[in-house]
Amino acid sequence: MKKLLIYLKPQRRRIALATLFMAISVLCDLMLPTIMSNILDQGVYRSAVENTFPYIVKMCVLMLLIAFVSLASVIAGYRLTSRITTAFTRDLRSAVFHKVHTMTFEEMGRIGTGGLVSRSTHDAGTLAWVASMLSGNIIIIPIMFFGGVALCFSKSVKLSLILLASVPLVIVIVTLLGKKITHLWEISDEYCDKQNDIVRERIRGIRVIRAFNSEPHEHERISDATHVMAENIIRANTTMALTAPVATFVLNVAVLLIVYFGGRQLQRGASLTPGDIFAIIQYVVLVLNGLISASFAIIMLPHAKVAAKRICEVMDAAGTADAIAEENLHFTGKIDFEDASFCYEGADRAALSHITMHIRPGDKISVIGGTGSGKSTLVSLLLAFRRPTGGRVLFDGRDATTISRKTIRRNISCALQKSMIYSGTVRENVQMGRMDASEAEVLQALDIAQLSDFLAEQENGMDYVLEQSGTNLSGGQKQRLAIARCIIKDAPIYVFDDSFSALDFLTEARLRTRLNEQFAGKTQIVITQRVTSAMNSDCIFVLNDGKLVGAGKHEELLEACEIYREIFASQTGGELP
């Protein structure tokens, strides 16, 4: 938890002020019982023998002023605490968000999307309570406890012992309750993650669920996760709720004993006055109220620890942060894979095995293969999403591991296999490729991507609003929009990872013709399963089960590569040569 509390450092001045205001408020509250005691002893009880009304009015005005100071201090303290808590939560969530961007795919997979969401929302909210306690509220507990005990002793040592005897009992009970609920919070948070994952899957796959009438099964899945989460939360909250009644019971017993023994001392003619007994009772109430606040803090601490542990799982992730400084390099487009291999964590065999490929500047090459042949893994190595577990990837003869990831990605423009479309306008989605692109450049990119006809049909043109994930676009329109985003970025290397699969052959042919015109002299890498997308390339690399089984032009591969011949025959209906 200490690692996360550093986000409170920028708020140190506000914390000091909030603590000061809350301390003033508590001190004012501690003064009021003594003044009430004086009103009773020197005002009310002496009113029969002398005129004490002016004294009573004077003391009441003093109490009113003290109460006003206390109220003003509390308002100022809570306003500052609110700002501190909001700023802490903002900075913590921002840090988690930025850290997620640097995490490896394996680290993301271990935690899961739902877990990442709940850590930046639910868990960050739990730690906001810790920030609230540390930014002023925590000072209330020691001042109220020690101040109340000291003032009790100033009135009566014997009656104060009753208060001291009740304190350990409350602490023991609260500690036992706190230990009991730690495990409950861990389980509830775990199933909160599962619930988020299921809801996310359900929303994204709602069409498939409805198409197969799987709603009852999905309801059962989320119902199971919700019931387990709710059961543990209810048990934890029920256990927490025992704190107040237990403390209140101890308080009432303490007050009863103080009244009883105080009354006996009065009968024996002790120096104790009725006003003193009243003041002691008020101090007992204040002290035990402080204990109740401390009890809730002790009870909530296990939940805060669980939340901090879960957030630290994200913050402590190794990630992909570059240890290499970004350089102002401009690649020529030459790429070499030298005996490159890659194996996913926990996998039985390598996804890519001993790949050797040489791509010259300005080459138009294709990588073809069936599902699971390693094509997308090759793109991941190329874009430095992952590093080879064996061999090397070189740009212009320089090992990619010696170049920062930002430098590599600045020199590569890509349209990835999954056409990610963001909520916003068509213009905004294209400009993600280059934020300073002009309107004319955006229109040109959209025209090359064969989207001009679509835009002409829309009343708002490039300002046509897209829904989240592009749900108001067809599969082909999504791919073409992703290609337009790729086109608008000026780079020496362009990668199209299965980016033409949803296009009809005529549209693809037009698009490829425009791309060849636009990117003449630049390196183009097309990852595909279609022979028609690859056959006109300068060189075709054939992958099968993670291995390079063929390389050459279309005609050469038809003669020399059996896997390529099988792909060609299956897609064209032709006979194997």
Side-chain angles (χ1 to χ4, degrees):
M1 191 176 298
K2 291 180 180 178
K3 294 180 181 178
L4 304 180
L5 293 181
I6 60 172
Y7 297 103
L8 279 175
K9 279 189 176 181
Q11 308 298 323
R12 282 175 293 188
R13 290 186 179 181
R14 284 181 175 177
I15 291 173
L17 279 175
T19 302
L20 176 63
F21 282 127
M22 299 306 288
I24 291 172
S25 173
V26 176
L27 290 173
C28 289
D29 291 341
L30 289 172
M31 293 170 63
L32 294 177
T34 297
I35 297 175
M36 279 295 298
S37 173
N38 292 336
I39 290 174
L40 287 174
D41 290 339
Q42 300 178 27
V44 176
Y45 292 119
R46 294 179 61 183
S47 60
V49 294
E50 61 180 286
N51 183 18
T52 58
F53 184 72
Y55 175 79
I56 294 174
V57 172
K58 180 182 176 181
M59 290 296 103
C60 287
V61 170
L62 179 61
M63 285 184 67
L64 184 62
L65 290 173
I66 292 173
F68 177 78
V69 172
S70 176
L71 176 63
S73 299
V74 166
I75 292 173
Y78 277 124
R79 282 178 63 87
L80 285 169
T81 298
S82 176
R83 291 180 180 179
I84 293 165
T85 304
T86 302
F88 168 79
T89 309
R90 177 200 64 206
D91 294 343
L92 179 59
R93 285 175 173 161
S94 178
V96 172
F97 180 80
H98 286 295
K99 183 63 181 182
V100 168
H101 278 277
T102 69
M103 292 175 70
T104 64
F105 296 112
E106 289 79 10
E107 289 166 344
M108 287 186 179
R110 279 195 295 269
I111 296 176
T113 304
L116 292 172
V117 171
S118 62
R119 280 163 175 77
S120 60
T121 53
H122 174 69
D123 293 332
T126 301
L127 289 182
W129 171 85
V130 176
S132 174
M133 287 296 297
L134 294 177
S135 58
N137 289 331
I138 199 168
I139 196 65
I140 295 175
I141 298 170
I143 293 179
M144 192 171 285
F145 178 80
F146 291 109
V149 170
L151 290 170
C152 276
F153 270 94
S154 69
K155 297 294 183 181
S156 172
V157 174
K158 291 183 179 179
L159 294 182
S160 297
L161 293 176
I162 297 174
L163 171 62
L164 290 181
S166 63
V167 170
L169 180 61
V170 174
I171 293 174
V172 169
I173 293 172
V174 169
T175 303
L176 292 175
L177 292 176
K179 289 181 178 180
K180 185 177 179 181
I181 67 171
T182 302
H183 183 60
L184 299 176
W185 286 126
E186 289 177 347
I187 295 174
S188 67
D189 287 345
E190 177 186 344
Y191 276 87
C192 180
D193 292 348
K194 289 184 178 181
Q195 187 186 47
N196 285 338
D197 280 331
I198 293 171
V199 170
R200 181 172 175 272
E201 286 178 358
R202 185 172 180 179
I203 292 172
R204 295 187 66 181
I206 190 66
R207 294 183 180 181
V208 176
I209 292 170
R210 289 176 178 174
F212 288 93
N213 291 323
S214 298
E215 289 95 335
H217 173 68
E218 292 301 315
H219 279 303
E220 185 178 345
R221 285 180 65 207
I222 198 167
S223 178
D224 291 342
T226 303
H227 284 162
V228 174
M229 180 188 70
E231 181 182 348
N232 283 277
I233 290 176
I234 291 170
R235 288 173 62 188
N237 286 333
T238 302
T239 304
M240 284 178 59
L242 292 174
T243 305
V246 167
T248 302
F249 175 76
V250 173
L251 166 66
N252 290 333
V253 171
V255 169
L256 180 64
L257 293 174
I258 287 170
V259 171
Y260 173 73
F261 287 108
R264 292 191 62 179
Q265 287 188 36
L266 285 175
Q267 285 182 340
R268 293 173 183 173
S271 59
L272 192 69
T273 67
D276 291 336
I277 295 175
F278 174 83
I280 290 171
I281 291 173
Q282 293 300 308
Y283 287 131
V284 169
V285 172
L286 289 174
V287 168
L288 288 180
N289 280 338
L291 277 178
I292 291 174
S293 298
S295 300
F296 279 115
I298 294 171
I299 289 292
M300 282 295 293
L301 188 60
H303 194 190
K305 283 183 176 179
V306 171
K309 179 182 176 182
R310 284 160 52 83
I311 291 178
C312 283
E313 288 175 4
V314 175
M315 303 303 289
D316 293 341
T320 59
D322 267 332
I324 306 168
E326 189 175 356
E327 301 174 73
N328 187 25
L329 292 178
H330 186 77
F331 295 168
T332 64
K334 181 185 177 184
I335 305 169
D336 297 288
F337 287 81
E338 291 186 351
D339 200 36
S341 299
F342 182 82
C343 184
Y344 289 97
E345 185 178 336
D348 296 331
R349 63 183 182 86
L352 288 176
S353 181
H354 305 290
I355 302 296
T356 297
M357 297 167 52
H358 302 289
I359 304 171
R360 297 169 301 180
D363 272 356
K364 293 181 290 182
I365 71 106
S366 294
V367 179
I368 194 169
T371 302
S373 60
K375 302 187 301 298
S376 292
T377 303
L378 192 75
V379 173
S380 293
L381 297 184
L382 194 62
L383 291 167
F385 290 154
R386 305 179 190 275
R387 296 296 195 187
T389 53
R392 299 189 301 168
V393 179
L394 299 98
F395 294 95
D396 295 341
R398 183 172 169 182
D399 194 331
T401 57
T402 66
I403 308 173
S404 74
R405 289 180 170 87
K406 285 188 176 180
T407 301
I408 292 173
R409 292 167 192 165
R410 193 180 65 246
N411 282 275
I412 300 176
S413 187
C414 60
L416 296 177
Q417 185 176 31
K418 186 177 181 181
S419 304
M420 190 63 209
I421 306 301
Y422 299 90
S423 56
T425 64
V426 171
R427 183 200 308 269
E428 291 168 346
N429 270 269
V430 175
Q431 284 181 328
M432 286 187 70
R434 183 158 60 90
M435 299 304 295
D436 60 348
S438 65
E439 182 171 338
E441 289 172 323
V442 174
L443 282 170
Q444 182 186 20
L446 290 166
D447 182 54
I448 294 172
Q450 307 299 299
L451 276 172
S452 296
D453 292 343
F454 169 74
L455 290 178
E457 296 171 358
Q458 309 306 320
E459 182 179 347
N460 297 325
M462 288 194 301
D463 293 319
Y464 175 67
V465 178
L466 304 176
E467 296 176 5
Q468 189 175 21
S469 299
T471 53
N472 53 341
L473 295 177
S474 68
Q477 288 166 346
K478 289 180 186 179
Q479 283 195 338
R480 282 178 282 163
L481 187 56
I483 291 170
R485 183 192 298 150
C486 172
I487 291 170
I488 205 166
K489 179 179 176 180
D490 184 21
I493 302 168
Y494 290 84
V495 178
F496 301 94
D497 183 8
D498 207 13
S499 303
F500 310 109
S501 58
L503 306 184
D504 60 79
F505 291 106
L506 181 58
T507 302
E508 181 185 353
R510 290 173 180 167
L511 176 55
R512 293 297 297 274
T513 300
R514 295 293 303 277
L515 289 176
N516 291 335
E517 294 171 358
Q518 180 72 15
F519 299 143
K522 296 189 176 183
T523 302
Q524 295 181 54
I525 302 173
V526 176
I527 312 297
T528 184
Q529 297 184 53
R530 286 183 180 181
V531 171
T532 53
S533 298
M535 57 195 305
N536 294 320
S537 301
D538 296 328
C539 184
I540 304 170
F541 295 96
V542 184
L543 293 181
N544 186 52
D545 290 333
K547 297 178 181 178
L548 183 63
V549 295
K553 291 184 177 292
H554 172 66
E555 294 78 10
E556 297 170 349
L557 290 172
L558 284 177
E559 293 181 5
C561 182
E562 182 180 352
I563 296 295
Y564 188 78
R565 288 202 306 272
E566 290 177 356
I567 295 173
F568 176 78
S570 66
Q571 293 183 11
T572 62
E575 295 182 1
L576 293 175

